[in-house]
Amino acid sequence: MKTLFRILIVLSFLAIIFFYSSGSNNYEPLEGPNSTSQILPKTINEPETPEDSLPRPEKGLSTLIGKSSDELVKLYSSPARLDQSSYGYEWWIYNQNPSQFMMFAVTNGMVTQAYTNATNSDISPFKMEQSLEDIYSMTLIESEVNATIEDNIYTFTMSEDDMNTRILKKFDNIFAQLYIDSETGTLSGIRFMDSRTLVIHRPYEMSFVGKLLSPPNPTSYLIEESNRSNAIQIFDLLNVFRVNNEIPILAENDAVTLVAMEHSEEMYSQSYLSHESPTKGSLKERLEYEGIEYKKAEENIATSYIDSIEAVHGWLNSRAHRKYMLDEEYTHVGSGTFMNYYTQIFIEEEISEIEE
Protein backbone atom coordinates (compact mmCIF):
# COMPACT_ATOMS: atom_id res chain seq x y z
CA MET A 1 0.00 0.00 0.00
CA LYS A 2 2.83 2.37 0.91
CA THR A 3 4.55 1.53 -2.36
CA LEU A 4 1.40 2.34 -4.33
CA PHE A 5 1.01 5.62 -2.47
CA ARG A 6 4.61 6.59 -3.29
CA ILE A 7 4.05 5.72 -6.95
CA LEU A 8 0.96 7.94 -7.07
CA ILE A 9 2.89 10.85 -5.54
CA VAL A 10 5.68 10.44 -8.10
CA LEU A 11 3.20 10.26 -10.98
CA SER A 12 1.40 13.37 -9.74
CA PHE A 13 4.70 15.23 -9.49
CA LEU A 14 5.68 14.20 -13.03
CA ALA A 15 2.27 15.27 -14.33
CA ILE A 16 2.73 18.73 -12.82
CA ILE A 17 6.19 19.04 -14.38
CA PHE A 18 4.83 17.97 -17.77
CA PHE A 19 1.96 20.46 -17.56
CA TYR A 20 4.25 23.41 -16.92
CA SER A 21 6.90 22.42 -19.44
CA SER A 22 4.77 21.16 -22.31
CA GLY A 23 4.14 24.59 -23.83
CA SER A 24 0.47 24.68 -22.85
CA ASN A 25 -0.93 28.11 -22.04
CA ASN A 26 -1.79 28.06 -18.35
CA TYR A 27 -2.70 31.74 -18.07
CA GLU A 28 -5.83 33.68 -18.84
CA PRO A 29 -6.35 35.43 -22.21
CA LEU A 30 -6.27 39.20 -22.02
CA GLU A 31 -9.53 41.15 -22.16
CA GLY A 32 -9.06 44.88 -22.62
CA PRO A 33 -10.68 47.80 -20.80
CA ASN A 34 -13.11 48.43 -23.64
CA SER A 35 -15.08 45.35 -22.62
CA THR A 36 -16.42 47.19 -19.56
CA SER A 37 -16.27 50.87 -20.59
CA GLN A 38 -19.64 52.60 -20.53
CA ILE A 39 -21.14 55.45 -22.56
CA LEU A 40 -23.48 57.53 -20.43
CA PRO A 41 -25.63 60.37 -21.80
CA LYS A 42 -26.14 63.32 -19.46
CA THR A 43 -29.36 65.32 -19.71
CA ILE A 44 -28.07 68.33 -17.79
CA ASN A 45 -25.15 70.34 -19.03
CA GLU A 46 -23.07 70.45 -15.86
CA PRO A 47 -20.50 73.24 -15.68
CA GLU A 48 -17.05 72.14 -16.67
CA THR A 49 -14.43 72.15 -13.94
CA PRO A 50 -11.22 73.98 -14.84
CA GLU A 51 -8.58 71.61 -16.18
CA ASP A 52 -4.86 71.90 -15.80
CA SER A 53 -3.95 71.87 -19.49
CA LEU A 54 -0.36 71.94 -20.64
CA PRO A 55 0.44 74.44 -23.38
CA ARG A 56 0.67 72.77 -26.75
CA PRO A 57 4.30 71.78 -27.44
CA GLU A 58 6.23 73.80 -29.97
CA LYS A 59 8.29 70.83 -31.15
CA GLY A 60 8.00 67.08 -31.48
CA LEU A 61 5.41 64.70 -32.90
CA SER A 62 2.40 66.48 -31.41
CA THR A 63 3.00 69.57 -33.56
CA LEU A 64 1.92 67.57 -36.61
CA ILE A 65 -1.65 67.06 -35.34
CA GLY A 66 -3.89 69.17 -37.57
CA LYS A 67 -1.20 69.62 -40.21
CA SER A 68 -1.40 68.50 -43.83
CA SER A 69 -0.02 65.08 -44.67
CA ASP A 70 2.31 66.94 -47.03
CA GLU A 71 4.20 67.99 -43.89
CA LEU A 72 4.89 64.34 -43.11
CA VAL A 73 6.42 63.83 -46.53
CA LYS A 74 8.58 66.95 -46.12
CA LEU A 75 9.85 65.82 -42.71
CA TYR A 76 10.08 62.05 -43.08
CA SER A 77 9.64 61.37 -46.83
CA SER A 78 7.08 58.78 -47.95
CA PRO A 79 5.92 56.14 -45.45
CA ALA A 80 7.09 52.55 -45.72
CA ARG A 81 3.48 51.37 -45.67
CA LEU A 82 -0.10 52.68 -45.77
CA ASP A 83 -2.50 50.78 -43.49
CA GLN A 84 -6.28 50.96 -43.48
CA SER A 85 -8.30 51.37 -40.29
CA SER A 86 -11.92 50.45 -39.62
CA TYR A 87 -12.30 53.90 -38.04
CA GLY A 88 -12.02 55.50 -41.46
CA TYR A 89 -8.52 56.94 -41.32
CA GLU A 90 -5.31 55.71 -42.91
CA TRP A 91 -2.19 54.86 -40.93
CA TRP A 92 1.10 56.06 -42.38
CA ILE A 93 3.74 53.64 -41.07
CA TYR A 94 7.41 54.59 -40.71
CA ASN A 95 9.11 51.34 -39.70
CA GLN A 96 12.37 51.60 -41.63
CA ASN A 97 14.30 51.98 -38.37
CA PRO A 98 12.85 50.35 -35.21
CA SER A 99 14.58 52.94 -33.01
CA GLN A 100 12.63 55.67 -34.84
CA PHE A 101 9.32 53.86 -35.40
CA MET A 102 6.31 56.14 -35.93
CA MET A 103 2.66 55.86 -36.96
CA PHE A 104 0.53 58.77 -38.17
CA ALA A 105 -3.22 58.62 -38.79
CA VAL A 106 -4.34 60.69 -41.78
CA THR A 107 -7.97 61.67 -42.35
CA ASN A 108 -8.90 63.61 -45.50
CA GLY A 109 -5.30 64.68 -45.95
CA MET A 110 -4.89 65.90 -42.36
CA VAL A 111 -2.85 64.32 -39.55
CA THR A 112 -5.17 63.34 -36.69
CA GLN A 113 -2.93 61.01 -34.64
CA ALA A 114 0.74 60.41 -33.99
CA TYR A 115 2.06 57.38 -32.11
CA THR A 116 5.48 56.04 -31.22
CA ASN A 117 7.06 53.55 -28.85
CA ALA A 118 10.60 54.20 -30.10
CA THR A 119 13.09 55.48 -27.55
CA ASN A 120 14.67 58.08 -29.88
CA SER A 121 11.44 59.95 -30.72
CA ASP A 122 10.78 63.58 -29.81
CA ILE A 123 7.56 63.42 -27.78
CA SER A 124 7.85 66.83 -26.09
CA PRO A 125 7.01 67.77 -23.40
CA PHE A 126 7.46 64.16 -22.30
CA LYS A 127 10.39 61.81 -22.78
CA MET A 128 10.35 58.13 -23.60
CA GLU A 129 11.23 56.04 -20.53
CA GLN A 130 10.28 58.97 -18.30
CA SER A 131 9.18 57.74 -14.88
CA LEU A 132 5.55 57.81 -13.81
CA GLU A 133 6.59 59.78 -10.74
CA ASP A 134 8.25 62.41 -12.91
CA ILE A 135 5.16 62.68 -15.12
CA TYR A 136 2.95 63.31 -12.11
CA SER A 137 5.38 65.87 -10.74
CA MET A 138 5.51 67.91 -13.97
CA THR A 139 1.73 68.33 -14.36
CA LEU A 140 -1.53 67.65 -12.59
CA ILE A 141 -3.15 64.45 -13.81
CA GLU A 142 -6.91 64.46 -13.30
CA SER A 143 -9.19 61.43 -13.46
CA GLU A 144 -11.71 63.30 -15.64
CA VAL A 145 -10.83 64.97 -18.93
CA ASN A 146 -13.24 66.93 -21.14
CA ALA A 147 -13.27 67.16 -24.93
CA THR A 148 -15.46 69.72 -26.69
CA ILE A 149 -16.62 69.46 -30.29
CA GLU A 150 -18.87 72.35 -31.31
CA ASP A 151 -21.63 72.43 -28.65
CA ASN A 152 -21.05 68.85 -27.52
CA ILE A 153 -19.11 67.99 -24.36
CA TYR A 154 -17.55 64.57 -23.81
CA THR A 155 -16.15 63.62 -20.41
CA PHE A 156 -13.68 60.74 -20.10
CA THR A 157 -13.17 59.11 -16.72
CA MET A 158 -10.02 57.14 -16.00
CA SER A 159 -10.04 54.18 -13.64
CA GLU A 160 -7.40 53.70 -10.95
CA ASP A 161 -5.55 51.33 -13.27
CA ASP A 162 -5.73 53.89 -16.12
CA MET A 163 -4.15 56.51 -13.86
CA ASN A 164 -1.09 54.26 -13.56
CA THR A 165 -0.86 52.65 -16.98
CA ARG A 166 -2.91 54.59 -19.57
CA ILE A 167 -2.98 58.28 -18.71
CA LEU A 168 -5.00 60.81 -20.70
CA LYS A 169 -3.67 64.38 -20.68
CA LYS A 170 -5.17 67.44 -22.36
CA PHE A 171 -3.19 70.14 -24.10
CA ASP A 172 -4.68 73.36 -25.49
CA ASN A 173 -6.57 71.60 -28.27
CA ILE A 174 -5.12 68.08 -28.53
CA PHE A 175 -4.80 65.07 -26.24
CA ALA A 176 -2.05 62.66 -25.31
CA GLN A 177 -2.42 59.07 -24.18
CA LEU A 178 0.60 58.05 -22.16
CA TYR A 179 1.21 54.30 -22.01
CA ILE A 180 3.13 53.34 -18.88
CA ASP A 181 5.12 50.11 -18.61
CA SER A 182 3.82 48.63 -15.35
CA GLU A 183 6.99 46.56 -14.87
CA THR A 184 9.42 49.47 -15.06
CA GLY A 185 7.08 52.33 -14.13
CA THR A 186 8.21 54.30 -17.18
CA LEU A 187 6.67 55.74 -20.33
CA SER A 188 6.75 53.06 -23.04
CA GLY A 189 4.61 54.70 -25.75
CA ILE A 190 2.54 57.78 -26.49
CA ARG A 191 -0.34 58.69 -28.77
CA PHE A 192 -1.24 62.29 -29.64
CA MET A 193 -4.67 62.89 -31.17
CA ASP A 194 -7.36 65.44 -31.89
CA SER A 195 -10.72 65.64 -30.10
CA ARG A 196 -12.71 63.80 -32.75
CA THR A 197 -10.38 60.79 -32.70
CA LEU A 198 -10.59 60.58 -28.91
CA VAL A 199 -14.39 60.63 -28.99
CA ILE A 200 -14.63 58.05 -31.78
CA HIS A 201 -12.18 55.70 -30.03
CA ARG A 202 -13.89 55.98 -26.60
CA PRO A 203 -10.88 54.43 -24.84
CA TYR A 204 -12.27 55.19 -21.36
CA GLU A 205 -15.66 55.39 -19.73
CA MET A 206 -17.39 58.32 -21.42
CA SER A 207 -20.35 60.54 -20.60
CA PHE A 208 -21.59 63.23 -22.93
CA VAL A 209 -23.91 66.17 -23.36
CA GLY A 210 -25.26 66.73 -26.86
CA LYS A 211 -24.72 64.47 -29.84
CA LEU A 212 -22.97 61.11 -29.63
CA LEU A 213 -20.27 61.06 -32.27
CA SER A 214 -19.91 57.57 -33.75
CA PRO A 215 -17.27 56.03 -36.01
CA PRO A 216 -18.22 55.42 -39.65
CA ASN A 217 -19.61 52.03 -40.63
CA PRO A 218 -16.77 50.25 -42.45
CA THR A 219 -17.33 48.32 -45.66
CA SER A 220 -16.48 44.63 -45.85
CA TYR A 221 -13.43 45.56 -47.90
CA LEU A 222 -12.25 48.04 -45.25
CA ILE A 223 -12.75 45.46 -42.48
CA GLU A 224 -10.66 42.93 -44.41
CA GLU A 225 -7.91 45.47 -45.03
CA SER A 226 -7.90 46.72 -41.43
CA ASN A 227 -7.64 43.12 -40.15
CA ARG A 228 -4.55 42.63 -42.26
CA SER A 229 -3.13 46.00 -41.21
CA ASN A 230 -3.66 45.38 -37.50
CA ALA A 231 -1.83 42.07 -37.77
CA ILE A 232 1.20 43.71 -39.38
CA GLN A 233 1.13 46.47 -36.77
CA ILE A 234 1.28 44.12 -33.79
CA PHE A 235 4.29 42.53 -35.50
CA ASP A 236 5.96 45.95 -35.91
CA LEU A 237 5.18 47.04 -32.35
CA LEU A 238 6.46 43.80 -30.88
CA ASN A 239 9.83 44.16 -32.58
CA VAL A 240 10.24 47.79 -31.49
CA PHE A 241 9.73 46.70 -27.88
CA ARG A 242 12.31 43.95 -28.39
CA VAL A 243 14.80 46.50 -29.78
CA ASN A 244 14.06 48.80 -26.82
CA ASN A 245 14.96 45.91 -24.50
CA GLU A 246 18.08 44.97 -26.52
CA ILE A 247 16.58 41.65 -27.63
CA PRO A 248 16.91 40.35 -31.22
CA ILE A 249 13.88 41.01 -33.39
CA LEU A 250 11.67 38.16 -34.59
CA ALA A 251 11.17 37.16 -38.21
CA GLU A 252 7.69 36.54 -39.55
CA ASN A 253 6.69 32.97 -40.32
CA ASP A 254 3.93 32.91 -42.95
CA ALA A 255 2.54 29.54 -41.87
CA VAL A 256 2.37 30.62 -38.23
CA THR A 257 0.73 33.87 -39.31
CA LEU A 258 -1.98 31.84 -41.03
CA VAL A 259 -2.61 29.87 -37.82
CA ALA A 260 -2.82 33.10 -35.81
CA MET A 261 -5.19 34.73 -38.30
CA GLU A 262 -7.49 31.70 -38.39
CA HIS A 263 -7.64 31.57 -34.59
CA SER A 264 -8.60 35.26 -34.33
CA GLU A 265 -11.31 34.83 -36.96
CA GLU A 266 -12.71 31.73 -35.28
CA MET A 267 -12.75 33.40 -31.84
CA TYR A 268 -14.75 36.27 -33.32
CA SER A 269 -17.16 34.16 -35.37
CA GLN A 270 -17.83 31.67 -32.56
CA SER A 271 -17.75 34.23 -29.72
CA TYR A 272 -15.12 32.72 -27.48
CA LEU A 273 -11.77 33.75 -26.04
CA SER A 274 -9.47 30.82 -25.41
CA HIS A 275 -6.22 29.19 -26.46
CA GLU A 276 -8.25 26.03 -27.03
CA SER A 277 -10.08 25.99 -30.37
CA PRO A 278 -13.36 24.01 -30.32
CA THR A 279 -12.61 22.75 -33.85
CA LYS A 280 -8.80 22.57 -34.09
CA GLY A 281 -7.69 22.05 -30.51
CA SER A 282 -4.71 23.42 -28.63
CA LEU A 283 -1.91 25.59 -30.01
CA LYS A 284 0.24 22.46 -30.35
CA GLU A 285 -2.46 20.71 -32.36
CA ARG A 286 -3.09 23.77 -34.56
CA LEU A 287 0.60 24.11 -35.40
CA GLU A 288 1.03 20.40 -36.06
CA TYR A 289 -2.02 20.41 -38.35
CA GLU A 290 -0.21 22.93 -40.59
CA GLY A 291 2.99 20.87 -40.47
CA ILE A 292 4.94 23.54 -38.57
CA GLU A 293 8.03 22.19 -36.81
CA TYR A 294 9.37 23.98 -33.74
CA LYS A 295 11.30 23.49 -30.51
CA LYS A 296 8.85 25.49 -28.40
CA ALA A 297 5.82 27.68 -28.98
CA GLU A 298 3.51 29.98 -27.03
CA GLU A 299 0.60 32.25 -27.83
CA ASN A 300 -0.77 35.61 -26.72
CA ILE A 301 -4.42 36.40 -27.39
CA ALA A 302 -6.58 39.40 -26.50
CA THR A 303 -9.85 41.12 -27.27
CA SER A 304 -11.78 44.33 -26.51
CA TYR A 305 -8.99 46.72 -27.43
CA ILE A 306 -9.67 49.60 -29.81
CA ASP A 307 -6.62 48.83 -31.96
CA SER A 308 -3.25 47.11 -32.16
CA ILE A 309 -1.49 49.83 -30.20
CA GLU A 310 -3.67 49.28 -27.14
CA ALA A 311 -3.56 45.48 -27.49
CA VAL A 312 0.24 45.31 -27.57
CA HIS A 313 0.58 47.68 -24.60
CA GLY A 314 -1.95 45.49 -22.79
CA TRP A 315 0.20 42.42 -23.42
CA LEU A 316 3.32 44.30 -22.33
CA ASN A 317 1.67 45.14 -19.00
CA SER A 318 0.65 41.54 -18.32
CA ARG A 319 3.56 39.61 -16.80
CA ALA A 320 2.66 36.30 -18.43
CA HIS A 321 2.14 37.79 -21.91
CA ARG A 322 5.17 40.06 -21.61
CA LYS A 323 7.35 37.03 -20.90
CA TYR A 324 6.72 35.64 -24.39
CA MET A 325 7.07 39.03 -26.10
CA LEU A 326 10.56 39.52 -24.68
CA ASP A 327 11.81 35.92 -24.68
CA GLU A 328 15.24 35.78 -26.34
CA GLU A 329 14.88 32.14 -27.38
CA TYR A 330 12.04 32.71 -29.85
CA THR A 331 13.09 33.18 -33.46
CA HIS A 332 9.82 33.66 -35.39
CA VAL A 333 6.34 34.99 -34.86
CA GLY A 334 2.96 34.91 -36.56
CA SER A 335 0.37 37.64 -35.98
CA GLY A 336 -3.32 37.64 -36.79
CA THR A 337 -6.26 39.92 -36.03
CA PHE A 338 -9.93 39.78 -36.85
CA MET A 339 -12.12 42.69 -35.78
CA ASN A 340 -11.09 43.18 -32.14
CA TYR A 341 -9.56 39.73 -31.59
CA TYR A 342 -5.77 39.58 -31.55
CA THR A 343 -3.48 36.53 -31.74
CA GLN A 344 0.30 36.40 -31.72
CA ILE A 345 2.16 33.07 -31.81
CA PHE A 346 5.85 32.78 -30.89
CA ILE A 347 8.01 29.84 -31.95
CA GLU A 348 11.60 28.78 -31.67
CA GLU A 349 12.31 27.09 -34.96
CA GLU A 350 13.99 23.74 -35.26
CA ILE A 351 17.47 23.94 -36.81
CA SER A 352 18.15 21.16 -39.29
CA GLU A 353 21.40 19.21 -39.28
CA ILE A 354 22.27 20.67 -42.69
CA GLU A 355 21.96 24.23 -41.36
CA GLU A 356 24.09 23.28 -38.35
Side-chain angles (χ1 to χ4, degrees):
M1 188 70 179
K2 288 182 179 179
T3 302
L4 178 60
F5 182 68
R6 288 177 184 148
I7 292 173
L8 289 173
I9 290 176
V10 171
L11 289 175
S12 298
F13 181 69
L14 291 174
I16 291 171
I17 292 175
F18 175 78
F19 179 77
Y20 282 99
S21 62
S22 62
S24 61
N25 301 88
N26 51 22
Y27 61 96
E28 291 297 320
L30 201 62
E31 194 161 3
N34 281 72
S35 63
T36 57
S37 295
Q38 299 183 39
I39 302 171
L40 306 170
K42 293 193 294 187
T43 56
I44 300 176
N45 192 346
E46 299 173 0
E48 291 187 54
T49 56
E51 293 178 304
D52 180 41
S53 297
L54 292 171
R56 182 162 178 172
E58 297 180 356
K59 62 176 185 174
L61 291 186
S62 69
T63 61
L64 288 164
I65 304 299
K67 298 287 184 65
S68 166
S69 57
D70 292 339
E71 292 294 321
L72 292 180
V73 178
K74 290 179 183 177
L75 288 171
Y76 306 117
S77 73
S78 298
R81 194 176 72 242
L82 297 177
D83 287 352
Q84 298 300 320
S85 165
S86 61
Y87 289 97
Y89 47 74
E90 188 176 61
W91 280 114
W92 289 31
I93 309 297
Y94 291 85
N95 65 351
Q96 297 91 331
N97 184 344
S99 64
Q100 297 176 337
F101 177 80
M102 298 174 292
M103 296 170 58
F104 296 94
V106 175
T107 308
N108 298 323
M110 303 297 291
V111 180
T112 55
Q113 292 179 76
Y115 168 83
T116 185
N117 61 338
T119 55
N120 293 337
S121 300
D122 185 350
I123 57 170
S124 300
F126 305 105
K127 295 180 180 179
M128 203 64 73
E129 299 182 338
Q130 185 176 2
S131 72
L132 180 62
E133 181 181 4
D134 189 31
I135 291 170
Y136 270 89
S137 67
M138 70 179 282
T139 182
L140 177 64
I141 304 295
E142 298 172 325
S143 61
E144 289 194 347
V145 177
N146 293 311
T148 303
I149 301 177
E150 297 177 346
D151 296 329
N152 309 300
I153 301 173
Y154 306 88
T155 302
F156 297 89
T157 303
M158 286 180 280
S159 66
E160 182 178 350
D161 184 60
D162 291 332
M163 296 288 283
N164 290 300
T165 61
R166 214 168 50 115
I167 299 169
L168 181 64
K169 183 61 189 175
K170 184 177 182 179
F171 291 83
D172 288 339
N173 58 350
I174 63 171
F175 298 83
Q177 270 188 292
L178 287 75
Y179 297 99
I180 307 300
D181 184 332
S182 59
E183 284 287 311
T184 63
T186 59
L187 185 61
S188 61
I190 191 166
R191 184 200 308 246
F192 297 101
M193 74 197 101
D194 61 11
S195 299
R196 187 177 185 279
T197 300
L198 176 62
V199 173
I200 286 177
H201 280 181
R202 304 169 190 170
Y204 310 91
E205 183 173 294
M206 185 182 82
S207 58
F208 66 97
V209 176
K211 181 181 178 182
L212 178 61
L213 191 62
S214 298
N217 292 320
T219 63
S220 57
Y221 168 78
L222 189 57
I223 290 174
E224 182 179 349
E225 287 297 302
S226 65
N227 289 336
R228 183 186 62 82
S229 296
N230 282 327
I232 301 173
Q233 288 168 22
I234 62 176
F235 170 73
D236 282 338
L237 293 165
L238 165 71
N239 274 332
V240 176
F241 280 127
R242 289 179 70 91
V243 169
N244 292 347
N245 287 272
E246 300 181 348
I247 299 171
I249 63 174
L250 299 179
E252 184 180 13
N253 181 300
D254 292 337
V256 178
T257 292
L258 177 62
V259 174
M261 190 68 78
E262 288 178 345
H263 192 59
S264 287
E265 184 173 359
E266 185 183 77
M267 286 193 294
Y268 172 80
S269 62
Q270 298 194 25
S271 300
Y272 75 90
L273 182 66
S274 173
H275 297 286
E276 192 79 18
S277 164
T279 61
K280 297 183 179 179
S282 66
L283 172 62
K284 181 176 182 291
E285 291 170 323
R286 285 183 274 132
L287 292 173
E288 288 179 349
Y289 181 82
E290 295 296 332
I292 298 169
E293 297 181 354
Y294 60 92
K295 291 178 67 176
K296 71 173 186 177
E298 283 293 355
E299 176 181 66
N300 282 345
I301 61 175
T303 190
S304 298
Y305 287 94
I306 60 172
D307 59 15
S308 294
I309 293 171
E310 295 248 327
V312 174
H313 277 282
W315 280 332
L316 188 72
N317 279 354
S318 166
R319 186 164 294 180
H321 299 82
R322 177 195 189 94
K323 176 184 175 182
Y324 305 133
M325 292 174 65
L326 303 181
D327 191 320
E328 297 186 34
E329 293 183 352
Y330 290 121
T331 59
H332 291 74
V333 67
S335 308
T337 66
F338 196 87
M339 304 299 283
N340 65 340
Y341 283 80
Y342 305 83
T343 302
Q344 197 157 52
I345 300 171
F346 307 86
I347 68 167
E348 180 185 0
E349 282 198 339
E350 291 277 12
I351 300 176
S352 66
E353 294 182 2
I354 297 176
E355 290 175 326
E356 290 177 334

